[in-house]
Amino acid sequence: MVDPAKMCRRHLLGEHNEIHMLIGSISRKKNLSGFLKNHLIEPLSVKTRHDELAEEMIRRGYSHKSPIDSIPDLGYLGESSGTKVDSEKNHRELVNRCEICRLIAENN
Ligand SMILES: [Zn+2]
Ligand SMILES: [Zn+2]
């Protein structure tokens, strides 16, 4: 996954929002097969990833009022709970799509 320090405000806050929705979906045992098949999510890392994003938000002085207390039960996902995302590919897509993310990447 993309280093939160290299994401623009919009993408940092956007992914933080998405991970909360994902944790909600996992808690409600929603069907995530499309996301898993396309390697868009990494179930085992949801809490770690949330905390990384939240830490970067706090570092930048944004407010964060939504701590995650525990990892949701991944049992219903079976083996696919071990699905990984391709971090480098994600970052390449981000810098292709977003000018601000690209500027941050170039200045690092
Ligand atoms: Zn949060
Ligand atoms: Zn961006």
Side-chain angles (χ1 to χ4, degrees):
M1 281 165 278
V2 180
D3 178 356
K6 293 184 181 170
M7 298 168 86
C8 75
R9 177 186 170 93
R10 184 165 66 91
H11 281 112
L12 178 64
L13 297 182
E15 191 182 331
H16 171 255
N17 221 7
E18 281 170 13
I19 205 120
H20 272 284
M21 291 196 295
L22 175 60
I23 291 169
S25 298
I26 294 173
S27 306
R28 291 192 303 277
K29 300 198 175 8
K30 292 239 178 166
N31 181 357
L32 300 171
S33 54
F35 294 98
L36 293 162
K37 199 174 67 194
N38 293 306
H39 293 264
L40 296 173
I41 56 172
E42 204 168 296
L44 289 173
S45 313
V46 284
K47 180 172 161 36
T48 327
R49 182 61 177 168
H50 168 271
D51 293 351
E52 274 175 17
L53 295 164
E55 208 172 284
E56 177 64 17
M57 286 166 61
I58 294 162
R59 204 183 62 80
R60 294 188 194 182
Y62 312 162
S63 76
H64 180 258
K65 301 188 185 80
S66 50
I68 301 290
D69 301 319
S70 59
I71 304 170
D73 182 6
L74 302 169
Y76 81 106
L77 295 170
E79 272 182 24
S80 60
S81 65
T83 300
K84 299 269 185 202
V85 304
D86 183 338
S87 307
E88 277 188 31
K89 185 171 158 238
N90 274 9
H91 191 237
R92 277 201 305 278
E93 279 169 10
L94 203 58
V95 299
N96 279 334
R97 278 201 317 260
C98 176
E99 199 174 328
I100 303 168
C101 283
R102 183 163 62 236
L103 284 173
I104 297 170
E106 283 167 1
N107 287 306
N108 264 304

